[in-house]
Amino acid sequence: MALTARAFGAQEVWVSTKDVPLEKTVESIVTRFGGDFSIKTGVKWREAIRSWKGKVVHLTMYGERLDDALPSIQGQDLLVVVGAEKVPREVYELADMNVSVGNQPHSEIAALAVLMHRLTDDDTLYRDLDGRLTVLPNPRGKTVVDNAKEKQNART
Amino acid sequence: MALTARAFGAQEVWVSTKDVPLEKTVESIVTRFGGDFSIKTGVKWREAIRSWKGKVVHLTMYGERLDDALPSIQGQDLLVVVGAEKVPREVYELADMNVSVGNQPHSEIAALAVLMHRLTDDDTLYRDLDGRLTVLPNPRGKTVVDNAKEKQNART
């Protein structure tokens, strides 16, 4: 979920459960692949939602249609709330909007990805994050540029 | 992954590892929420890819850009291959195309959802699957119609 948020253009991910190994995993990806994405865990969700200055969108299979909701979401400073398993009723009320990506049971990660993809363009997915490692699109194999080595080579 | 494939319009999901509990979970969702989606587990991936009559698209963070690949994928009979962890080199070669949804590490489920969403329209996500349970879009709460009860009520 955290890496999907990062890949699709989020600035931060907040997780309600304290989880230091998760923080380390995400920070290690950021260190290697770049960008200024950050993760906080052990965040109090009620306070986070209440104090958000922009718009709060709760993703749920019960929510209104994505295509109906999009015009009100575009261009906003968004906090997207995604729950694992049973989400407290309070979240439905605290959120500005409850939005579905299909009214079928599936994955919160898929819902987040599609929402974010609809709010951005293809270039967001391929933006240069200026990391140590850069993966270049390759139809047949793997092209990974190690920029640290490139710089070293350029220097010598 | 299986439920995401179903929600976004796939007809079947095949899993290489035999997994009867997974089959039961997915079949239970189909029974309740409708549609004719099916799951097979314990499928030999090499044979499945080789014998596919349509196009085989392998989703990988190393692949060519999604927007570059889409024109060749649209309207095809698709087998989408998604690997957990390390994917054998052979898959890259057997696939007709290796396609990325961003060249950053994230989730295979997110990649599948976005690919399928780009190949379909919003109505696919909200198509009537004629199940026992139908969830109706609701901006503030949960609306679940139990069609079995509705029919029973209509009968009495």
Side-chain angles (χ1 to χ4, degrees):
Chain A
M1 177 68 80
L3 294 183
T4 299
R6 172 182 175 273
F8 285 81
Q11 291 174 301
E12 293 190 32
V13 66
W14 300 344
V15 182
S16 60
T17 312
K18 185 71 189 170
D19 190 336
V20 175
L22 174 66
E23 290 180 8
K24 297 255 178 278
T25 302
V26 171
E27 283 159 6
S28 149
I29 293 283
V30 174
T31 302
R32 280 178 291 154
F33 289 92
D36 56 5
F37 184 76
S38 66
I39 178 166
K40 276 193 281 186
T41 74
V43 172
K44 293 180 176 166
W45 62 265
R46 203 175 275 107
E47 287 172 23
I49 295 177
R50 283 212 182 112
S51 62
W52 187 255
K53 299 276 191 297
K55 208 152 211 169
V56 177
V57 171
H58 171 221
L59 284 177
T60 161
M61 64 176 275
Y62 300 102
E64 65 177 306
R65 282 178 66 128
L66 175 64
D67 45 344
D68 289 342
L70 276 174
S72 317
I73 297 175
Q74 265 143 355
Q76 304 284 328
D77 204 7
L78 277 192
L79 174 66
V80 180
V81 182
V82 183
E85 306 286 316
K86 197 89 178 168
V87 172
R89 173 77 216 176
E90 198 181 343
V91 173
Y92 289 77
E93 281 150 17
L94 285 174
D96 294 307
M97 305 178 76
N98 294 281
V99 178
S100 67
V101 177
N103 289 135
Q104 295 291 329
H106 63 94
S107 145
E108 295 83 20
I109 302 177
L112 179 71
V114 168
L115 170 72
M116 294 191 66
H117 188 55
R118 289 291 288 270
L119 293 170
T120 53
D121 58 15
D122 287 315
D123 289 332
T124 302
L125 279 172
Y126 296 93
R127 69 202 185 284
D128 186 1
L129 291 175
D130 199 25
R132 186 165 75 77
L133 298 177
T134 307
V135 176
L136 298 177
N138 181 338
R140 216 23 91 180
K142 302 183 184 182
T143 310
V144 183
V145 180
D146 188 330
N147 298 297
K149 281 190 189 154
E150 297 282 312
K151 273 178 204 154
Q152 205 166 45
N153 289 345
R155 234 180 278 140
T156 53
Chain B
M1 178 67 81
L3 295 183
T4 299
R6 173 181 173 274
F8 285 81
Q11 291 174 300
E12 293 189 33
V13 66
W14 300 342
V15 181
S16 60
T17 312
K18 185 73 187 169
D19 189 335
V20 175
L22 174 65
E23 290 180 7
K24 297 258 178 274
T25 302
V26 171
E27 284 159 5
S28 150
I29 292 283
V30 174
T31 303
R32 280 179 290 154
F33 289 92
D36 56 3
F37 184 78
S38 64
I39 177 164
K40 275 193 282 187
T41 75
V43 172
K44 291 180 177 166
W45 63 264
R46 202 175 276 105
E47 288 173 24
I49 295 177
R50 283 212 183 112
S51 62
W52 186 255
K53 299 276 189 296
K55 207 150 211 172
V56 177
V57 171
H58 171 221
L59 284 177
T60 160
M61 65 175 276
Y62 300 102
E64 64 177 306
R65 281 179 66 127
L66 174 63
D67 45 343
D68 288 342
L70 277 175
S72 318
I73 298 176
Q74 265 142 354
Q76 304 283 329
D77 204 7
L78 277 193
L79 175 66
V80 181
V81 182
V82 182
E85 306 286 316
K86 197 92 177 166
V87 172
R89 174 79 214 173
E90 198 182 344
V91 173
Y92 288 78
E93 281 150 20
L94 285 175
D96 295 306
M97 305 177 77
N98 294 282
V99 178
S100 67
V101 178
N103 288 136
Q104 295 290 329
H106 63 93
S107 146
E108 295 84 19
I109 302 177
L112 178 71
V114 168
L115 170 71
M116 293 191 66
H117 187 56
R118 289 292 287 270
L119 293 171
T120 54
D121 57 16
D122 286 314
D123 288 332
T124 302
L125 280 172
Y126 296 93
R127 70 202 186 283
D128 187 2
L129 291 175
D130 199 23
R132 187 165 75 77
L133 299 177
T134 307
V135 176
L136 298 177
N138 180 338
R140 213 26 89 181
K142 301 183 184 182
T143 310
V144 183
V145 180
D146 189 329
N147 298 297
K149 281 192 190 152
E150 296 282 313
K151 273 178 203 152
Q152 207 167 42
N153 289 346
R155 234 179 279 141
T156 54

